[in-house]
Amino acid sequence: LKVLMADAASSDGGGAEPGTVLAHEGGAAVATSDGLLVLRTVQVEGRKPAPVPEFLRGARGFIGSVLGQ
């Protein structure tokens, strides 16, 4: 998964482990040690870039997963 657009948000992520994907404002964010990385546009290998809400419709297990594992 390639992250093409993202924004930083100063939230504690609810104490989630860094790398954990969380639901955030109708999309997704990744917990970091300094807050959240709010995903805006992503691209799956071999596919066209997609806004995160569109990507999530086909990626049911993405929320709650831990990146890098």
Side-chain angles (χ1 to χ4, degrees):
L1 180 70
K2 199 182 287 188
V3 176
L4 302 177
M5 289 179 58
D7 297 315
S10 59
S11 171
D12 66 0
E17 174 185 343
T20 303
V21 180
L22 307 169
H24 182 75
E25 297 179 0
V30 179
T32 70
S33 59
D34 293 327
L36 295 175
L37 182 66
V38 181
L39 305 178
R40 301 293 182 201
T41 306
V42 295
Q43 183 176 16
V44 176
E45 186 174 346
R47 298 200 176 182
K48 65 181 183 175
V52 170
E54 181 181 315
F55 164 76
L56 290 174
R57 284 194 285 278
R60 300 273 181 213
F62 188 63
I63 300 293
S65 65
V66 179
L67 301 181
Q69 290 188 347

